[in-house]
Amino acid sequence: MMRRGVAEAGRGLPTIERGMPAPAGTGLSRRSFLLRTGGLALSVYGAGLLGPKAFGEGIARAAGAADSKVLVSVFLDGGIDALSLLSPVEDPTYRRLRPKLAMDPAAGPAWTEDPRLHWHPSASPLHQLHQEGKVTVFPAIGYTDADQSHFTSRHYWEVGELSTKTNTGWLGRMLDIVGTPDNPLQGVSLDGTLSPSLATARVPVAATWGARYDLWAPGVWGDVEDLMFDAFGRIGAGAQRGKDKQMKEAGRVVGQSNTLRTQLSSFGDEIQSPVAYPDDDHFSESLAGLAAMLAAGLPITVASVDAPGRFDTHDEQREDLAEDLAATCDGLLAFQRDLEARGLADRVVTLVWSEFGRRPEENDSAGTDHGAGGNAFLIGSPVRGQMVGEWPGLDTLDEDDNLRSTSDFRALYCGLIEQWFGVDAGQVIPNAASFQRAALIG
Amino acid sequence: MSLPVYQGRFGTAQAERLLWRAGFGPRPGEAQKLARKGLKRAVLSLTRPKGKAKLRGPTPRDDDGLPLAPADAWGHDLLWWLDRMVRSDQPLVERMALSWHDWFATADVGQAQLNLDQNQLFRRRALGSFADLLADVTVDPAMLIWLSGNENTAEGPNENYAREMMELFTLGAGNGYTETDVREQARALTGWTNDWDEDLGSVNFRFDQELHDTGTKRIFGKSGNYDWRDSCRLCLEHPAHAGYFVTKLWSYFIPKPPSKKTLRDLKKLYKRRKYAIRPVVEAILLHPELHTGPRMVKPPIVQIAGMLRGRKSGITTDAWTWIADDAGQRLFRPPNVSGWDETRWLDTARLGGRWTAAGQSTDLDSADDDDYDAKETPKQALEAALRFWGKPTVSDRTRRELLQFCSRVEKVATEEWQQQSYRALRQNALRILIASSPDYMTA
């Protein structure tokens, strides 16, 4: 059943339990204050029987040792066109396949590791960071026989294997090993709902969206308002005691909402960043908030956020791509500078990925269709800054006329798990031994 | 073969569920009336409406008291459709149109009128033949723009529609087709185009033989000089289609997938009736699983329309557009081509939107503390608040909590002036609590 199949491919989420929402615990005013300063409205996933108090304590305990490594996962939704991001501007085959869309050789700087390729002008922040040795480029990453469905291919990347049945994310499984049962902040999605990459089997993880959470109750105030919210929480709790699955779920969300409201309704501090972010879009706000949370000592191990825009450029690619890519890269550069200014840069690595690249031959709509090999980037002061897998060229494409992959996303995952987190990748990625690791860090 | 039919009691509560699943909930008294028909006649009254739909109740107005301008004013497209959901006497037709909007999810293509035209197509084909629906959607201008069908030519094929047609509309991801099939389907679908007018935008959508690839295509192992009609037909005749269709259709009405036997019988029915939608919908609405199975979370826009129906109220404000967006379902703006993800109707953010919807309805007609009954008892208060929403059923558990809340308010109302004032506030609070309860959010 494919409607469900789609949800499943994109989800991992609904199969795990959504638990209590709230980390800020009683008697932990400092931590809860910090949570609030981070503008952090939490929905906790996979919480089991633990309540807000346990989370508050768990977070505080974990925060005591908050100098651990952090991975930020940034998803470019829709399949970004690798041949525009790093384009072989002089290649005659490229110019033949891309009569309308080929990039101008003079527009962007050459990529020093393979000067046949030039950066998209919107990606010049990446060029800048690369020059500083802070970007590892995967010029053609993917997997053999790439699936060209957005939903399926994205699911593979999310779960870290070529299986539509898996319902835990690769980062979730890693958190199941390195995480604790009472710290939902260890894996946090910044887009409001949990990223399937973070779906765990054992430990709780969380999702947040921006700052405040309030419920508007016109014509109700004072004592009656207090009693109303009290009743709201009780009704939610009551429904959770019933038998009906959907009523229980609705009751759980009512309970979460009421707790969130209690914790965050009166709070309105803005995040103070030491550097300027390019725009006030959600992506930049999320990254700025994340840096502030890390600076405040919150025990985050993995965070995920979607890049702004949609990269599924079937038409009008030139304009759409330039705009969304600029918003993405400007935000990423500001984030790196923010981390540097806050003294956090040695702790944080950012992975930028997309579900596939696009077809080398442009379509007739000034756009490109779904392809195979694409781009990924590891950004941060700790990264090695040396490309992984060479650029395969356009003269031998795969059987679907798509770019071949010269590195596998599962190899990248194995490398990160081992070199960044010091965990045996065999416990996380199926058939880990079969993937050749490149040096990613240091 | 025979599909099972629910044989249990069909009273007000059952009729209420049916009206929420197959429409937008009851107007006051409607569930009782439907229950009196008995299940079969009740279902047929929904699936076989006679003549043109009639819109009952006050005509919609925006914040300035002006008529709606769905093709021009921000958010009025949603208001226009929401109004039909609230006022039509053929609710299942609107509900099916909503399902097709999700099934063939098309977002804003930059010309609202094209999206509105597509919406009329969903209404016109709501319960007819899926073959006709698919054919019409394939060459519908909004869809041609949305999935690049108008840019798919023999010279420059574009696979966008071909892929989603199989993956999302007829077969299911990877369900018996290959990448070659995607490309060959794209070739078969070539030939649709339109003109661009400086003032009007995209106009004159048409099939142009010159742009069509007349060569032989090989699709699902068969060869022929296929065109877009063949492309649709081949999808429908594909062995995976019937199962995909009935399972997906079922999921709009019943949260638990059908049993193997039911699935088999629904497939047979669908094939025997040559892709007719109505008989399958009737079989689903009569099925015991709908009436005895678990409750289902109401899609946000269904809940909002139902609140207005319960209130016998019409559209009087633009606010419904952003409220529906907050609640997670802005009509004409599905998140992507696979439609809304119904497994995510409820989270803390979206619940906030539903709460706002309840607050909005209450605010438009709030209890006034100047002339409120200072002696109203808890029971009277609750009955009044339930009446406000057209007497929805609530569980005993929730009812107890609501009554307890009522008593508590009386305990804190110690001053004389509070007797009246607090009872008015209590009435407003009760209304919000009822419409944000797990009972009301599910059916």
Side-chain angles (χ1 to χ4, degrees):
Chain A
M1 192 240 121
M2 274 314 135
R3 192 136 162 283
R4 237 163 243 295
V6 167
E8 205 157 281
R11 74 176 179 177
L13 162 66
T15 51
I16 67 165
E17 187 192 349
R18 288 185 217 188
M20 308 291 287
T26 350
L28 290 157
S29 55
R30 181 160 167 272
R31 286 305 158 201
S32 69
F33 178 76
L34 289 173
L35 284 172
R36 292 175 179 192
T37 335
L40 196 57
L42 275 192
S43 303
V44 177
Y45 298 81
L49 295 170
L50 293 176
K53 188 158 183 292
F55 290 137
E57 288 164 358
I59 287 168
R61 201 162 38 243
D67 54 353
S68 59
K69 307 279 175 58
V70 179
L71 177 67
V72 184
S73 167
V74 174
F75 174 51
L76 306 173
D77 186 8
I80 194 168
D81 182 35
L83 291 176
S84 293
L85 190 37
L86 281 169
S87 46
V89 285
E90 308 280 6
D91 188 324
T93 313
Y94 174 68
R95 305 213 74 88
R96 179 171 56 74
L97 293 172
R98 296 279 177 99
K100 285 205 203 96
L101 293 180
M103 300 298 295
D104 175 2
W111 176 40
T112 46
E113 291 182 78
D114 184 344
R116 289 177 298 172
L117 302 176
H118 283 223
W119 292 96
H120 191 290
S122 298
S124 52
L126 291 185
H127 168 67
Q128 194 182 333
L129 289 173
H130 180 257
Q131 291 296 88
E132 297 170 20
K134 295 170 188 161
V135 180
T136 294
V137 178
F138 298 75
I141 191 166
Y143 52 99
T144 313
D145 290 333
D147 195 292
Q148 287 168 59
S149 154
H150 292 295
F151 308 102
T152 307
S153 196
R154 174 180 174 172
H155 174 83
Y156 292 165
W157 278 77
E158 285 167 345
V159 301
E161 66 172 315
L162 306 187
S163 156
T164 54
K165 303 274 186 273
T166 312
N167 58 19
T168 51
W170 73 281
L171 291 167
R173 290 196 300 276
M174 193 194 70
L175 288 172
D176 277 334
I177 296 169
V178 303
T180 62
D182 54 4
N183 170 22
L185 277 181
Q186 56 209 344
V188 63
S189 286
L190 304 171
D191 298 310
T193 48
L194 190 68
S195 159
S197 305
L198 292 186
T200 54
R202 247 172 18 86
V203 301
V205 286
T208 79
W209 176 279
R212 266 170 297 174
Y213 188 85
D214 209 352
L215 297 172
W216 169 66
V220 191
W221 39 264
D223 295 340
V224 182
E225 189 181 12
D226 293 343
L227 288 170
M228 173 184 71
F229 282 119
D230 185 50
F232 184 51
R234 285 161 170 273
I235 290 169
Q240 289 180 65
R241 288 196 298 272
K243 283 204 187 81
D244 189 276
K245 221 177 117 196
Q246 303 269 22
M247 282 280 276
K248 280 167 109 88
E249 173 63 17
R252 196 150 43 225
V253 178
V254 165
Q256 290 178 352
S257 303
N258 197 41
T259 312
L260 271 188
R261 188 199 59 80
T262 318
Q263 293 173 325
L264 298 169
S265 60
S266 60
F267 200 80
D269 273 22
E270 292 293 319
I271 291 155
Q272 300 293 326
S273 299
V275 303
Y277 277 81
D279 207 340
D280 58 353
D281 67 1
H282 172 66
F283 181 63
S284 281
E285 276 174 14
S286 299
L287 292 177
L290 177 60
M293 288 185 241
L294 292 172
L298 297 184
I300 294 166
T301 303
V302 179
S304 77
V305 59
D306 286 353
R310 201 167 144 70
F311 295 91
D312 191 20
T313 46
H314 284 282
D315 47 36
E316 292 176 38
Q317 169 167 307
R318 190 176 288 283
E319 301 75 17
D320 293 351
L321 181 64
E323 192 179 320
D324 292 337
L325 187 60
T328 304
C329 294
D330 293 349
L332 288 168
L333 176 62
F335 180 57
Q336 177 63 26
R337 295 295 181 245
D338 192 354
L339 295 173
E340 289 166 8
R342 292 178 188 270
L344 296 166
D346 290 340
R347 285 180 50 206
V348 183
V349 165
T350 300
L351 167 65
V352 182
W353 62 281
S354 193
E355 69 265 42
F356 41 58
R358 306 191 74 81
R359 187 78 42 81
E361 183 173 13
E362 70 184 33
N363 63 27
D364 233 23
S365 330
T368 49
D369 293 322
H370 303 181
N375 286 152
F377 304 94
L378 272 182
I379 303 172
S381 306
V383 308
R384 191 172 162 89
Q386 217 170 68
M387 73 167 152
V388 177
E390 75 282 19
W391 189 67
L394 292 169
D395 293 323
T396 15
L397 299 172
D398 74 7
E399 56 179 9
D400 294 323
D401 297 325
N402 286 322
L403 200 64
R404 285 178 296 117
S405 301
T406 56
S407 62
D408 192 293
F409 71 101
R410 292 160 292 179
L412 160 59
Y413 291 174
C414 289
L416 270 178
I417 291 166
E418 289 171 351
Q419 297 164 37
W420 188 232
F421 290 108
V423 171
D424 170 19
Q427 294 176 266
V428 179
I429 304 294
N431 303 317
S434 64
F435 301 109
Q436 192 104 47
R437 276 68 144 176
L440 303 176
I441 305 294
Chain B
M1 84 171 220
S2 74
L3 282 148
V5 172
Y6 171 64
Q7 301 293 344
R9 174 183 150 76
F10 187 71
T12 307
Q14 287 76 20
E16 202 180 322
R17 172 180 280 199
L18 181 62
L19 283 167
W20 278 111
R21 297 277 179 97
F24 305 88
R27 292 158 178 271
E30 212 169 47
Q32 289 80 351
K33 231 171 98 187
L34 195 73
R36 284 198 287 275
K37 289 182 196 284
L39 175 66
K40 269 199 186 151
R41 280 182 52 227
V43 166
L44 296 187
S45 74
L46 292 165
T47 58
R48 302 181 190 187
K50 291 194 181 62
K52 258 186 88 177
K54 284 188 268 307
L55 301 178
R56 297 176 298 189
T59 51
R61 299 280 159 177
D62 70 3
D63 282 328
D64 301 320
L66 299 171
L68 302 184
D72 300 312
W74 180 90
H76 282 209
D77 49 358
L78 180 139
L79 299 178
W80 174 83
W81 193 3
L82 179 61
D83 174 63
R84 293 196 64 100
M85 294 172 175
V86 173
R87 293 201 300 140
S88 172
D89 65 350
Q90 303 188 355
L92 179 61
V93 172
E94 296 303 321
R95 191 62 193 263
M96 287 307 300
L98 180 61
S99 299
W100 300 129
H101 180 42
D102 179 75
W103 190 304
F104 297 104
T106 307
D108 178 25
V109 295
Q111 263 169 273
Q113 190 56 52
L114 298 182
N115 290 86
L116 292 164
D117 292 347
Q118 186 192 62
N119 188 257
Q120 292 290 17
L121 154 61
F122 292 151
R123 191 167 291 106
R124 198 167 62 240
R125 296 291 191 202
L127 287 154
S129 150
F130 187 75
D132 293 342
L133 176 62
L134 178 66
D136 285 0
V137 166
T138 301
V139 301
D140 165 67
M143 183 58 89
L144 285 171
I145 296 175
W146 174 237
L147 293 183
S148 322
N150 63 338
E151 315 224 22
N152 181 22
T153 64
E155 291 281 297
N158 185 309
E159 296 165 11
N160 206 1
Y161 186 81
R163 179 182 308 282
E164 307 304 4
M165 160 191 224
M166 293 188 281
E167 177 171 336
L168 298 170
F169 303 161
T170 61
L171 302 178
N175 205 1
Y177 62 91
T178 63
E179 281 304 315
T180 310
D181 290 326
V182 173
R183 292 177 188 211
E184 295 291 286
Q185 284 281 29
R187 290 180 59 214
L189 288 160
T190 51
W192 284 87
T193 186
N194 65 280
D195 298 329
W196 177 259
D197 180 287
E198 281 295 317
D199 299 316
L200 302 171
S202 300
V203 291
N204 196 19
F205 287 82
R206 64 194 184 277
F207 181 78
D208 181 344
Q209 188 63 37
E210 296 279 297
L211 300 173
H212 178 62
D213 182 337
T214 52
T216 301
K217 299 102 188 167
R218 191 163 173 80
I219 299 173
F220 308 145
K222 293 174 205 150
S223 297
N225 176 13
Y226 298 133
D227 66 7
W228 68 275
R229 286 193 180 280
D230 299 310
S231 178
C232 294
R233 179 179 53 80
L234 289 165
C235 287
L236 296 177
E237 289 171 357
H238 190 287
H241 170 64
Y244 179 74
F245 174 84
V246 298
T247 316
K248 180 160 169 160
L249 187 61
W250 173 281
S251 77
Y252 286 103
F253 297 99
I254 298 175
K256 218 171 111 189
S259 70
K260 269 195 185 137
K261 182 175 178 315
T262 293
L263 175 61
R264 196 182 60 222
D265 291 343
L266 285 172
K267 276 162 64 176
K268 272 193 201 154
L269 174 64
Y270 177 60
K271 285 196 256 191
R272 189 160 53 81
R273 300 296 296 270
K274 305 261 183 307
Y275 315 117
I277 299 160
R278 190 186 328 263
V280 183
V281 171
E282 287 176 351
I284 293 170
L285 296 182
L286 290 167
H287 200 280
E289 189 59 35
L290 187 140
H291 302 276
T292 59
R295 295 173 75 84
M296 197 168 179
V297 176
K298 297 170 187 170
I301 199 71
V302 171
Q303 176 168 339
I304 290 172
M307 290 168 121
L308 292 166
R309 286 172 70 85
R311 296 279 310 121
K312 279 193 167 172
S313 150
I315 307 290
T316 54
T317 168
D318 304 2
W320 295 116
T321 300
W322 62 260
I323 293 173
D325 199 10
D326 279 2
Q329 195 176 26
R330 174 138 175 228
L331 299 173
F332 299 103
R333 303 289 189 285
N336 60 50
V337 65
S338 72
W340 284 278
D341 180 352
E342 82 284 4
T343 62
R344 298 193 181 178
W345 282 143
L346 279 183
D347 60 32
T348 50
R350 284 163 174 192
L351 186 114
R354 290 190 200 227
W355 172 282
T356 306
Q360 175 71 26
S361 276
T362 303
D363 193 37
L364 289 171
D365 198 6
S366 73
D368 184 1
D369 54 1
D370 286 340
D371 57 359
Y372 205 83
D373 177 4
K375 296 213 157 51
E376 189 188 51
T377 66
K379 226 174 150 198
Q380 287 169 333
L382 179 55
E383 290 317 311
L386 287 167
R387 232 175 10 252
F388 180 86
W389 295 118
K391 295 195 186 171
T393 308
V394 291
S395 62
D396 292 344
R397 197 178 254 132
T398 297
R399 179 178 284 272
R400 275 199 303 276
E401 291 295 349
L402 291 168
L403 284 172
Q404 202 170 32
F405 160 71
C406 291
S407 307
R408 287 182 176 171
V409 170
E410 290 184 12
K411 273 196 203 110
V412 297
T414 48
E415 307 287 328
E416 185 57 31
W417 66 271
Q418 292 170 334
Q419 297 309 319
Q420 187 173 49
S421 166
Y422 275 24
R423 279 179 170 78
L425 305 190
R426 175 174 76 178
Q427 181 56 218
N428 291 327
L430 276 172
R431 294 169 182 177
I432 299 176
L433 284 172
I434 289 168
S436 328
S437 66
D439 311 65
Y440 196 83
M441 292 190 289
T442 59

